[in-house]
Amino acid sequence: MKTGAPDDALRDAGLRATRQRLTVLDALRERPDAVTAQDLHMELRQAGEPIGLTTVYRTLTSLAEASFLDVFNREGEQAFRLCGDIHHHHLVCETCNKVEEIAAAEVERWVNEVAERRGYEVTGHRADIFGICADCRL
Amino acid sequence: MKTGAPDDALRDAGLRATRQRLTVLDALRERPDAVTAQDLHMELRQAGEPIGLTTVYRTLTSLAEASFLDVFNREGEQAFRLCGDIHHHHLVCETCNKVEEIAAAEVERWVNEVAERRGYEVTGHRADIFGICADCRL
DNA sequence: GTTGTTGCAAAGAATTTGCAACATA
DNA sequence: TATGTTGCAAATTCTTTGCAACAAC
């Protein structure tokens, strides 16, 4: 029994701990990159996990709504990734799709300044960096 | 004959200046906000412009590929907006969808610092602020 | 036992493609 | 006139929904 029981997130989200949902959560825990519902479903099926595409979609959507996942809108589709904190930014490797979280105090400062100067009430912001990680540059 | 002839962009992109493409470009010039192919098509048709949805999609895609438009991936669909410079950031009003461009020297500095610290070769970044503009707050 | 969950099949929405008619250079 | 462009209809792709069988609490 390890810390951070696999179904804590589900309980917290008011979702029943079904085999399928646990499977999805486990898969997400092992990836540093963001996945698509389609891709995740295919991988799980290939790994022998019996789970329907619909369920993958529903599980990812529920977890994202409960703020357990980050949602990335790639062209045409959306990718999901486990996230700890509510607020953070990302460093994304465009080659392997790995996503690292980054702190951004500087950005927050800049956001507030700009918004105030232009008369906006801030409701959110995003600041992501795209690049090629050290491993992929080898 | 005004400066910045409406079809300069098309010429530059190696595209023929057809009535439809000029119509799309004109429409884009009048909007400070990003539009969806579907929405733009509907508006043009309602305005009596004979143009097909397929053509709107193709025109927007071509212009975006030629860097004349910015592409915003909203959930499920993508919105386009005319852009002058290759690089800039945005202040987006979530109520009226207006998009203002903002300078972000501070952000550029932050981007380079973070990337270097983590061993990434920067290929791009994005920094947008979402909020409610002064007009919409009245 | 209740009530939430699953997953198939079908519906939907956004976008792309085949192809014959047509406009631009 | 030669080649790029249009637009309809049909095909694709991602995502959602209806609903009956089923699993969690």
Side-chain angles (χ1 to χ4, degrees):
Chain A
M1 230 164 265
K2 57 181 71 168
T3 25
D7 52 344
D8 277 357
L10 294 176
R11 303 273 177 190
D12 292 355
L15 301 170
R16 284 186 182 174
T18 66
R19 178 177 44 70
Q20 292 91 329
R21 299 218 256 238
L22 291 173
T23 300
V24 167
L25 264 179
D26 271 353
L28 290 173
R29 277 174 215 284
E30 317 232 306
R31 326 185 121 249
D33 59 336
V35 228
T36 270
Q38 303 270 359
D39 288 350
L40 181 54
H41 176 245
M42 194 182 303
E43 287 177 25
L44 292 176
R45 292 297 277 254
Q46 287 181 340
E49 293 290 349
I51 186 171
L53 176 58
T54 307
T55 300
V56 174
Y57 269 107
R58 281 194 282 228
T59 299
L60 292 176
T61 302
S62 301
L63 290 173
E65 276 173 356
S67 294
F68 286 110
L69 305 185
D70 267 339
V71 184
F72 292 81
N73 281 99
R74 303 221 261 244
E75 48 173 292
E77 63 192 9
Q78 41 195 177
F80 302 79
R81 175 172 174 282
L82 255 191
C83 71
D85 317 305
I86 296 298
H87 198 74
H88 49 235
H89 302 280
H90 305 98
L91 182 53
V92 184
C93 175
E94 299 201 302
T95 299
C96 67
N97 277 317
K98 172 173 56 193
V99 180
E100 293 186 35
E101 295 187 4
I102 45 186
E106 285 177 59
V107 173
E108 319 272 327
R109 212 177 306 126
W110 169 76
V111 165
N112 293 324
E113 242 175 61
V114 174
E116 184 173 356
R117 198 183 311 141
R118 307 264 191 133
Y120 275 64
E121 177 186 331
V122 180
T123 58
H125 66 275
R126 126 184 111 182
D128 302 315
I129 302 178
F130 301 95
I132 302 174
C133 72
D135 291 345
C136 290
R137 290 165 66 191
L138 297 181
Chain B
M1 230 166 267
K2 58 182 71 170
T3 25
D7 53 344
D8 277 356
L10 293 176
R11 305 271 176 194
D12 293 354
L15 300 171
R16 286 187 180 173
T18 65
R19 178 177 44 70
Q20 292 91 328
R21 299 217 257 237
L22 291 173
T23 299
V24 167
L25 264 179
D26 271 355
L28 290 174
R29 278 176 216 285
E30 317 233 305
R31 326 186 119 248
D33 59 338
V35 226
T36 271
Q38 303 271 0
D39 288 350
L40 181 55
H41 176 245
M42 195 182 304
E43 286 177 25
L44 292 176
R45 291 297 278 256
Q46 286 181 341
E49 295 289 349
I51 186 172
L53 175 59
T54 306
T55 299
V56 174
Y57 269 108
R58 281 194 282 229
T59 300
L60 292 176
T61 302
S62 301
L63 290 173
E65 276 173 358
S67 294
F68 286 111
L69 305 185
D70 267 339
V71 185
F72 292 81
N73 282 100
R74 303 219 262 244
E75 50 173 289
E77 63 193 9
Q78 40 195 176
F80 303 79
R81 175 171 175 282
L82 256 191
C83 70
D85 317 304
I86 297 296
H87 199 76
H88 48 236
H89 302 279
H90 305 98
L91 182 54
V92 183
C93 174
E94 300 203 299
T95 299
C96 67
N97 277 316
K98 173 172 56 191
V99 180
E100 294 185 36
E101 294 187 5
I102 45 184
E106 283 178 61
V107 173
E108 319 272 328
R109 212 175 306 126
W110 169 75
V111 165
N112 293 324
E113 240 176 63
V114 174
E116 185 173 355
R117 197 183 310 143
R118 307 264 193 134
Y120 275 64
E121 178 187 330
V122 180
T123 58
H125 66 275
R126 128 183 109 181
D128 303 315
I129 303 178
F130 301 95
I132 301 174
C133 73
D135 290 347
C136 291
R137 291 166 65 191
L138 297 181

